[in-house]
Amino acid sequence: MPKERVGEQVFVFLSEAYAQVTSTVILTNRGSVVVDSLLYPSEAEEVRAFATRGSRQVAYLINTHGHLDHVACNYLYPDAAIVAHSGVRDAMRGVLRSDLGQAAESIPELRGAKMRPPNITSSGEVVLRHGGLTLRLIPLPGHSPDGMGVYVEEERILVAGDAVLPVPHFVAGDPDDLVRSLQRIRTLALNTIIQGHGDVILKGEVKDAIDYRLRYIKQVRRHVRDGVAAGATVREALHADIEAYGGSRLDLDGLTQQLHEDNVRYLHQYYERAALDPVA
Ligand SMILES: [Zn+2]
């Protein structure tokens, strides 16, 4: 699996098996911190081997949000304290159980997987000081209500989870929340953003990358809202593909176009309902 060093002590792994989902390892002299545990156990094992080399322990595993591709392999870290938004614990004790069973039908290596929910949870900001580093867990809802970013202060690196993706995705969350989260990210001193999926965003690209995502949300909302007002069907609203918004159909192995289509369907339904019920 490709591994990139993005800071003095920070390394990111990019999945080849599922949608370039990322897992981040922060090495400290008091053990490692891992952010997100991946979907495929064989890949997660590779990350764990790196995080535990030289008799190091994984002190903390942090989950950025409660979607299966970020939490499925938590069980491979039985001795780590797992930290996340309280919503992640709820999801893992509820709906994600059947998601895991379903995923195991098409991914045989997941058959031995067990849910390991976080044991340290919060719905607000958490500051974790560990091995000389300050890790600030910042709520970043919008892609999902339980989003948390991990800001490594000393390195000016944000592990953003799916709050930052090549195409913003808000159908399991809320576009207004996502706008606020992206605006919050803009206020941080940043050298690097590690996205939940896809390439690392480097210094010099950070501001433009956030602005692009904010612009995308604004434009897709306006486009679908105006379309619904003019009687456009979902198919018509889908006519403008991700490239019409300055994105690439090829990003994340074609998944970005899919994310965009999800957004359009979500918004089309939202504005149709709003038109039927103007009070809402
Ligand atoms: Zn994801």
Side-chain angles (χ1 to χ4, degrees), residues 2-40:
K3 176 183 90 215
E4 192 178 341
R5 183 174 197 163
V6 295
E8 199 62 40
Q9 295 165 253
V10 183
F11 298 78
V12 57
F13 288 77
L14 217 64
S15 171
E16 292 177 307
Y18 181 76
Q20 296 178 36
V21 59
T22 60
S23 181
T24 300
V25 178
I26 304 163
L27 299 177
T28 84
N29 52 18
R30 291 198 49 230
S32 308
V33 177
V34 175
V35 185
D36 285 348
S37 63
L38 299 177
L39 179 61
Y40 278 71

mmCIF file of all heavy atoms in Angstrom, residues 2-40:
data_model
loop_
_atom_site.group_PDB
_atom_site.id
_atom_site.type_symbol
_atom_site.label_atom_id
_atom_site.label_comp_id
_atom_site.label_asym_id
_atom_site.label_seq_id
_atom_site.Cartn_x
_atom_site.Cartn_y
_atom_site.Cartn_z
ATOM 1 N N PRO A 2 0.593 2.264 -0.810
ATOM 2 C CA PRO A 2 1.441 3.457 -0.808
ATOM 3 C C PRO A 2 1.425 4.158 0.556
ATOM 4 O O PRO A 2 0.366 4.294 1.174
ATOM 5 C CB PRO A 2 0.809 4.370 -1.873
ATOM 6 C CG PRO A 2 -0.217 3.562 -2.562
ATOM 7 C CD PRO A 2 -0.524 2.359 -1.735
ATOM 8 N N LYS A 3 2.632 4.573 0.991
ATOM 9 C CA LYS A 3 2.778 5.270 2.266
ATOM 10 C C LYS A 3 3.537 6.567 1.998
ATOM 11 O O LYS A 3 4.511 6.564 1.249
ATOM 12 C CB LYS A 3 3.576 4.393 3.227
ATOM 13 C CG LYS A 3 3.883 5.057 4.553
ATOM 14 C CD LYS A 3 4.738 4.146 5.423
ATOM 15 C CE LYS A 3 6.202 4.402 5.181
ATOM 16 N NZ LYS A 3 7.065 3.251 5.246
ATOM 17 N N GLU A 4 3.070 7.644 2.585
ATOM 18 C CA GLU A 4 3.722 8.934 2.348
ATOM 19 C C GLU A 4 4.052 9.573 3.691
ATOM 20 O O GLU A 4 3.231 9.556 4.608
ATOM 21 C CB GLU A 4 2.754 9.836 1.561
ATOM 22 C CG GLU A 4 3.382 11.087 1.006
ATOM 23 C CD GLU A 4 2.370 11.926 0.198
ATOM 24 O OE1 GLU A 4 1.328 11.382 -0.212
ATOM 25 O OE2 GLU A 4 2.625 13.115 0.007
ATOM 26 N N ARG A 5 5.273 10.126 3.781
ATOM 27 C CA ARG A 5 5.621 10.861 4.993
ATOM 28 C C ARG A 5 5.185 12.310 4.791
ATOM 29 O O ARG A 5 5.624 12.953 3.846
ATOM 30 C CB ARG A 5 7.132 10.800 5.214
ATOM 31 C CG ARG A 5 7.546 11.487 6.484
ATOM 32 C CD ARG A 5 9.020 11.302 6.755
ATOM 33 N NE ARG A 5 9.300 11.614 8.144
ATOM 34 C CZ ARG A 5 10.400 11.256 8.772
ATOM 35 N NH1 ARG A 5 11.323 10.558 8.128
ATOM 36 N NH2 ARG A 5 10.582 11.585 10.040
ATOM 37 N N VAL A 6 4.316 12.790 5.659
ATOM 38 C CA VAL A 6 3.793 14.141 5.442
ATOM 39 C C VAL A 6 4.257 15.123 6.512
ATOM 40 O O VAL A 6 3.976 16.319 6.422
ATOM 41 C CB VAL A 6 2.248 14.165 5.356
ATOM 42 C CG1 VAL A 6 1.773 13.394 4.144
ATOM 43 C CG2 VAL A 6 1.610 13.614 6.609
ATOM 44 N N GLY A 7 4.978 14.635 7.518
ATOM 45 C CA GLY A 7 5.497 15.507 8.556
ATOM 46 C C GLY A 7 6.636 14.785 9.242
ATOM 47 O O GLY A 7 6.945 13.639 8.911
ATOM 48 N N GLU A 8 7.249 15.474 10.209
ATOM 49 C CA GLU A 8 8.355 14.881 10.963
ATOM 50 C C GLU A 8 7.963 13.502 11.515
ATOM 51 O O GLU A 8 8.710 12.551 11.409
ATOM 52 C CB GLU A 8 8.689 15.845 12.113
ATOM 53 C CG GLU A 8 10.047 15.668 12.732
ATOM 54 C CD GLU A 8 11.167 15.923 11.731
ATOM 55 O OE1 GLU A 8 11.062 16.868 10.926
ATOM 56 O OE2 GLU A 8 12.135 15.149 11.776
ATOM 57 N N GLN A 9 6.743 13.421 12.059
ATOM 58 C CA GLN A 9 6.319 12.206 12.754
ATOM 59 C C GLN A 9 5.024 11.615 12.184
ATOM 60 O O GLN A 9 4.433 10.740 12.799
ATOM 61 C CB GLN A 9 6.089 12.538 14.242
ATOM 62 C CG GLN A 9 7.353 12.943 14.976
ATOM 63 C CD GLN A 9 7.041 13.605 16.319
ATOM 64 O OE1 GLN A 9 7.186 14.813 16.479
ATOM 65 N NE2 GLN A 9 6.614 12.805 17.281
ATOM 66 N N VAL A 10 4.605 12.123 11.040
ATOM 67 C CA VAL A 10 3.271 11.752 10.541
ATOM 68 C C VAL A 10 3.358 11.068 9.172
ATOM 69 O O VAL A 10 3.981 11.588 8.247
ATOM 70 C CB VAL A 10 2.358 12.999 10.443
ATOM 71 C CG1 VAL A 10 0.954 12.605 9.990
ATOM 72 C CG2 VAL A 10 2.302 13.728 11.784
ATOM 73 N N PHE A 11 2.726 9.910 9.067
ATOM 74 C CA PHE A 11 2.753 9.103 7.843
ATOM 75 C C PHE A 11 1.319 8.749 7.450
ATOM 76 O O PHE A 11 0.501 8.452 8.316
ATOM 77 C CB PHE A 11 3.535 7.801 8.081
ATOM 78 C CG PHE A 11 4.975 8.036 8.456
ATOM 79 C CD1 PHE A 11 5.320 8.410 9.751
ATOM 80 C CD2 PHE A 11 5.991 7.901 7.512
ATOM 81 C CE1 PHE A 11 6.645 8.643 10.103
ATOM 82 C CE2 PHE A 11 7.314 8.125 7.855
ATOM 83 C CZ PHE A 11 7.653 8.508 9.153
ATOM 84 N N VAL A 12 1.051 8.764 6.150
ATOM 85 C CA VAL A 12 -0.301 8.418 5.714
ATOM 86 C C VAL A 12 -0.253 7.253 4.729
ATOM 87 O O VAL A 12 0.607 7.201 3.850
ATOM 88 C CB VAL A 12 -1.054 9.647 5.157
ATOM 89 C CG1 VAL A 12 -0.320 10.285 4.013
ATOM 90 C CG2 VAL A 12 -2.473 9.291 4.734
ATOM 91 N N PHE A 13 -1.151 6.306 4.927
ATOM 92 C CA PHE A 13 -1.312 5.159 4.036
ATOM 93 C C PHE A 13 -2.576 5.361 3.212
ATOM 94 O O PHE A 13 -3.602 5.804 3.732
ATOM 95 C CB PHE A 13 -1.469 3.861 4.851
ATOM 96 C CG PHE A 13 -0.217 3.395 5.524
ATOM 97 C CD1 PHE A 13 0.237 4.006 6.690
ATOM 98 C CD2 PHE A 13 0.520 2.339 5.000
ATOM 99 C CE1 PHE A 13 1.393 3.569 7.323
ATOM 100 C CE2 PHE A 13 1.679 1.897 5.622
ATOM 101 C CZ PHE A 13 2.118 2.514 6.785
ATOM 102 N N LEU A 14 -2.490 4.993 1.927
ATOM 103 C CA LEU A 14 -3.617 5.172 1.007
ATOM 104 C C LEU A 14 -4.078 3.792 0.538
ATOM 105 O O LEU A 14 -3.307 3.059 -0.072
ATOM 106 C CB LEU A 14 -3.107 5.970 -0.188
ATOM 107 C CG LEU A 14 -3.997 7.006 -0.837
ATOM 108 C CD1 LEU A 14 -4.300 8.129 0.141
ATOM 109 C CD2 LEU A 14 -3.304 7.595 -2.073
ATOM 110 N N SER A 15 -5.322 3.457 0.826
ATOM 111 C CA SER A 15 -5.819 2.118 0.447
ATOM 112 C C SER A 15 -5.839 1.923 -1.059
ATOM 113 O O SER A 15 -6.240 2.799 -1.811
ATOM 114 C CB SER A 15 -7.237 1.922 0.991
ATOM 115 O OG SER A 15 -7.789 0.729 0.468
ATOM 116 N N GLU A 16 -5.413 0.732 -1.475
ATOM 117 C CA GLU A 16 -5.552 0.351 -2.885
ATOM 118 C C GLU A 16 -6.792 -0.508 -3.083
ATOM 119 O O GLU A 16 -7.244 -0.719 -4.198
ATOM 120 C CB GLU A 16 -4.316 -0.440 -3.326
ATOM 121 C CG GLU A 16 -3.073 0.417 -3.377
ATOM 122 C CD GLU A 16 -1.839 -0.383 -3.746
ATOM 123 O OE1 GLU A 16 -1.571 -1.398 -3.088
ATOM 124 O OE2 GLU A 16 -1.153 0.019 -4.702
ATOM 125 N N ALA A 17 -7.341 -1.000 -1.975
ATOM 126 C CA ALA A 17 -8.463 -1.932 -2.064
ATOM 127 C C ALA A 17 -9.811 -1.212 -2.034
ATOM 128 O O ALA A 17 -10.790 -1.687 -2.594
ATOM 129 C CB ALA A 17 -8.396 -2.930 -0.917
ATOM 130 N N TYR A 18 -9.887 -0.066 -1.361
ATOM 131 C CA TYR A 18 -11.170 0.620 -1.266
ATOM 132 C C TYR A 18 -11.027 2.141 -1.323
ATOM 133 O O TYR A 18 -10.584 2.783 -0.354
ATOM 134 C CB TYR A 18 -11.924 0.231 0.019
ATOM 135 C CG TYR A 18 -13.254 0.931 0.097
ATOM 136 C CD1 TYR A 18 -14.319 0.504 -0.685
ATOM 137 C CD2 TYR A 18 -13.429 2.070 0.880
ATOM 138 C CE1 TYR A 18 -15.527 1.181 -0.680
ATOM 139 C CE2 TYR A 18 -14.634 2.755 0.895
ATOM 140 C CZ TYR A 18 -15.679 2.304 0.112
ATOM 141 O OH TYR A 18 -16.858 2.985 0.107
ATOM 142 N N ALA A 19 -11.381 2.735 -2.449
ATOM 143 C CA ALA A 19 -11.624 4.180 -2.599
ATOM 144 C C ALA A 19 -10.549 5.087 -1.996
ATOM 145 O O ALA A 19 -10.841 6.183 -1.522
ATOM 146 C CB ALA A 19 -12.990 4.537 -2.002
ATOM 147 N N GLN A 20 -9.306 4.620 -2.019
ATOM 148 C CA GLN A 20 -8.195 5.427 -1.513
ATOM 149 C C GLN A 20 -8.470 6.011 -0.120
ATOM 150 O O GLN A 20 -8.083 7.138 0.188
ATOM 151 C CB GLN A 20 -7.845 6.550 -2.497
ATOM 152 C CG GLN A 20 -7.341 6.019 -3.825
ATOM 153 C CD GLN A 20 -7.044 7.148 -4.809
ATOM 154 O OE1 GLN A 20 -6.583 8.211 -4.429
ATOM 155 N NE2 GLN A 20 -7.297 6.902 -6.079
ATOM 156 N N VAL A 21 -9.152 5.219 0.711
ATOM 157 C CA VAL A 21 -9.386 5.660 2.092
ATOM 158 C C VAL A 21 -8.032 5.706 2.812
ATOM 159 O O VAL A 21 -7.134 4.910 2.520
ATOM 160 C CB VAL A 21 -10.422 4.745 2.799
ATOM 161 C CG1 VAL A 21 -9.978 3.306 2.850
ATOM 162 C CG2 VAL A 21 -10.764 5.250 4.191
ATOM 163 N N THR A 22 -7.875 6.682 3.711
ATOM 164 C CA THR A 22 -6.564 6.883 4.350
ATOM 165 C C THR A 22 -6.541 6.376 5.793
ATOM 166 O O THR A 22 -7.556 6.359 6.480
ATOM 167 C CB THR A 22 -6.162 8.375 4.364
ATOM 168 O OG1 THR A 22 -7.145 9.129 5.090
ATOM 169 C CG2 THR A 22 -6.038 8.917 2.958
ATOM 170 N N SER A 23 -5.349 5.962 6.203
ATOM 171 C CA SER A 23 -5.083 5.649 7.605
ATOM 172 C C SER A 23 -3.778 6.367 7.948
ATOM 173 O O SER A 23 -2.813 6.276 7.201
ATOM 174 C CB SER A 23 -4.944 4.134 7.783
ATOM 175 O OG SER A 23 -4.709 3.805 9.142
ATOM 176 N N THR A 24 -3.780 7.103 9.051
ATOM 177 C CA THR A 24 -2.625 7.939 9.387
ATOM 178 C C THR A 24 -1.942 7.400 10.635
ATOM 179 O O THR A 24 -2.612 6.990 11.586
ATOM 180 C CB THR A 24 -3.090 9.394 9.652
ATOM 181 O OG1 THR A 24 -3.726 9.886 8.464
ATOM 182 C CG2 THR A 24 -1.931 10.303 10.021
ATOM 183 N N VAL A 25 -0.615 7.394 10.609
ATOM 184 C CA VAL A 25 0.150 6.961 11.784
ATOM 185 C C VAL A 25 1.001 8.125 12.264
ATOM 186 O O VAL A 25 1.732 8.736 11.486
ATOM 187 C CB VAL A 25 1.065 5.762 11.437
ATOM 188 C CG1 VAL A 25 1.896 5.363 12.664
ATOM 189 C CG2 VAL A 25 0.239 4.578 10.947
ATOM 190 N N ILE A 26 0.875 8.437 13.549
ATOM 191 C CA ILE A 26 1.684 9.481 14.169
ATOM 192 C C ILE A 26 2.625 8.778 15.148
ATOM 193 O O ILE A 26 2.168 8.137 16.108
ATOM 194 C CB ILE A 26 0.784 10.500 14.909
ATOM 195 C CG1 ILE A 26 -0.266 11.076 13.937
ATOM 196 C CG2 ILE A 26 1.627 11.616 15.531
ATOM 197 C CD1 ILE A 26 -1.442 11.770 14.619
ATOM 198 N N LEU A 27 3.930 8.835 14.860
ATOM 199 C CA LEU A 27 4.901 8.144 15.708
ATOM 200 C C LEU A 27 5.389 9.099 16.795
ATOM 201 O O LEU A 27 5.779 10.229 16.490
ATOM 202 C CB LEU A 27 6.100 7.688 14.865
ATOM 203 C CG LEU A 27 5.818 6.700 13.735
ATOM 204 C CD1 LEU A 27 7.101 6.416 12.949
ATOM 205 C CD2 LEU A 27 5.232 5.394 14.273
ATOM 206 N N THR A 28 5.359 8.652 18.041
ATOM 207 C CA THR A 28 5.921 9.471 19.111
ATOM 208 C C THR A 28 6.835 8.592 19.953
ATOM 209 O O THR A 28 6.829 7.362 19.806
ATOM 210 C CB THR A 28 4.838 10.084 20.043
ATOM 211 O OG1 THR A 28 4.488 9.118 21.038
ATOM 212 C CG2 THR A 28 3.595 10.505 19.278
ATOM 213 N N ASN A 29 7.603 9.218 20.859
ATOM 214 C CA ASN A 29 8.490 8.414 21.701
ATOM 215 C C ASN A 29 7.727 7.704 22.826
ATOM 216 O O ASN A 29 8.299 6.983 23.621
ATOM 217 C CB ASN A 29 9.618 9.284 22.266
ATOM 218 C CG ASN A 29 9.070 10.520 22.953
ATOM 219 O OD1 ASN A 29 7.875 10.559 23.305
ATOM 220 N ND2 ASN A 29 9.900 11.533 23.149
ATOM 221 N N ARG A 30 6.423 7.892 22.870
ATOM 222 C CA ARG A 30 5.615 7.165 23.859
ATOM 223 C C ARG A 30 4.568 6.290 23.181
ATOM 224 O O ARG A 30 3.466 6.103 23.677
ATOM 225 C CB ARG A 30 4.953 8.155 24.823
ATOM 226 C CG ARG A 30 5.981 8.844 25.736
ATOM 227 C CD ARG A 30 5.359 9.475 26.949
ATOM 228 N NE ARG A 30 4.462 8.588 27.648
ATOM 229 C CZ ARG A 30 3.220 8.934 28.011
ATOM 230 N NH1 ARG A 30 2.749 10.120 27.737
ATOM 231 N NH2 ARG A 30 2.459 8.070 28.664
ATOM 232 N N GLY A 31 4.922 5.794 22.030
ATOM 233 C CA GLY A 31 3.984 4.938 21.291
ATOM 234 C C GLY A 31 3.322 5.699 20.161
ATOM 235 O O GLY A 31 3.504 6.906 20.020
ATOM 236 N N SER A 32 2.570 4.959 19.359
ATOM 237 C CA SER A 32 1.974 5.558 18.166
ATOM 238 C C SER A 32 0.525 5.950 18.400
ATOM 239 O O SER A 32 -0.130 5.440 19.298
ATOM 240 C CB SER A 32 1.987 4.550 17.017
ATOM 241 O OG SER A 32 3.270 4.030 16.839
ATOM 242 N N VAL A 33 0.081 6.858 17.547
ATOM 243 C CA VAL A 33 -1.344 7.178 17.462
ATOM 244 C C VAL A 33 -1.757 6.879 16.024
ATOM 245 O O VAL A 33 -1.071 7.286 15.083
ATOM 246 C CB VAL A 33 -1.609 8.670 17.801
ATOM 247 C CG1 VAL A 33 -3.090 8.995 17.645
ATOM 248 C CG2 VAL A 33 -1.127 8.995 19.223
ATOM 249 N N VAL A 34 -2.828 6.139 15.853
ATOM 250 C CA VAL A 34 -3.332 5.815 14.509
ATOM 251 C C VAL A 34 -4.672 6.517 14.346
ATOM 252 O O VAL A 34 -5.477 6.569 15.281
ATOM 253 C CB VAL A 34 -3.489 4.282 14.332
ATOM 254 C CG1 VAL A 34 -4.136 3.946 12.985
ATOM 255 C CG2 VAL A 34 -2.133 3.589 14.456
ATOM 256 N N VAL A 35 -4.894 7.100 13.164
ATOM 257 C CA VAL A 35 -6.194 7.715 12.892
ATOM 258 C C VAL A 35 -6.871 6.933 11.767
ATOM 259 O O VAL A 35 -6.351 6.881 10.653
ATOM 260 C CB VAL A 35 -6.059 9.200 12.493
ATOM 261 C CG1 VAL A 35 -7.444 9.841 12.347
ATOM 262 C CG2 VAL A 35 -5.214 9.969 13.496
ATOM 263 N N ASP A 36 -7.983 6.332 12.070
ATOM 264 C CA ASP A 36 -8.824 5.511 11.180
ATOM 265 C C ASP A 36 -8.178 4.161 10.862
ATOM 266 O O ASP A 36 -6.974 4.078 10.609
ATOM 267 C CB ASP A 36 -9.210 6.261 9.905
ATOM 268 C CG ASP A 36 -10.296 7.309 10.175
ATOM 269 O OD1 ASP A 36 -10.889 7.274 11.272
ATOM 270 O OD2 ASP A 36 -10.537 8.154 9.294
ATOM 271 N N SER A 37 -9.041 3.135 10.881
ATOM 272 C CA SER A 37 -8.490 1.771 10.861
ATOM 273 C C SER A 37 -8.698 1.022 9.553
ATOM 274 O O SER A 37 -8.284 -0.128 9.446
ATOM 275 C CB SER A 37 -9.081 0.969 12.025
ATOM 276 O OG SER A 37 -10.488 0.836 11.880
ATOM 277 N N LEU A 38 -9.314 1.657 8.545
ATOM 278 C CA LEU A 38 -9.504 1.074 7.205
ATOM 279 C C LEU A 38 -10.584 -0.007 7.164
ATOM 280 O O LEU A 38 -11.113 -0.427 8.202
ATOM 281 C CB LEU A 38 -8.195 0.495 6.631
ATOM 282 C CG LEU A 38 -7.042 1.480 6.419
ATOM 283 C CD1 LEU A 38 -5.807 0.720 5.925
ATOM 284 C CD2 LEU A 38 -7.408 2.583 5.429
ATOM 285 N N LEU A 39 -10.885 -0.451 5.943
ATOM 286 C CA LEU A 39 -11.938 -1.449 5.709
ATOM 287 C C LEU A 39 -11.367 -2.860 5.538
ATOM 288 O O LEU A 39 -11.915 -3.821 6.058
ATOM 289 C CB LEU A 39 -12.727 -1.053 4.446
ATOM 290 C CG LEU A 39 -13.856 -1.982 4.009
ATOM 291 C CD1 LEU A 39 -14.932 -2.100 5.093
ATOM 292 C CD2 LEU A 39 -14.495 -1.488 2.708
ATOM 293 N N TYR A 40 -10.260 -2.972 4.824
ATOM 294 C CA TYR A 40 -9.696 -4.293 4.524
ATOM 295 C C TYR A 40 -8.661 -4.683 5.574
ATOM 296 O O TYR A 40 -7.624 -4.008 5.710
ATOM 297 C CB TYR A 40 -9.046 -4.299 3.138
ATOM 298 C CG TYR A 40 -10.020 -4.491 2.004
ATOM 299 C CD1 TYR A 40 -10.905 -3.470 1.657
ATOM 300 C CD2 TYR A 40 -10.087 -5.687 1.301
ATOM 301 C CE1 TYR A 40 -11.822 -3.644 0.625
ATOM 302 C CE2 TYR A 40 -10.996 -5.868 0.261
ATOM 303 C CZ TYR A 40 -11.859 -4.842 -0.064
ATOM 304 O OH TYR A 40 -12.763 -5.026 -1.079
#
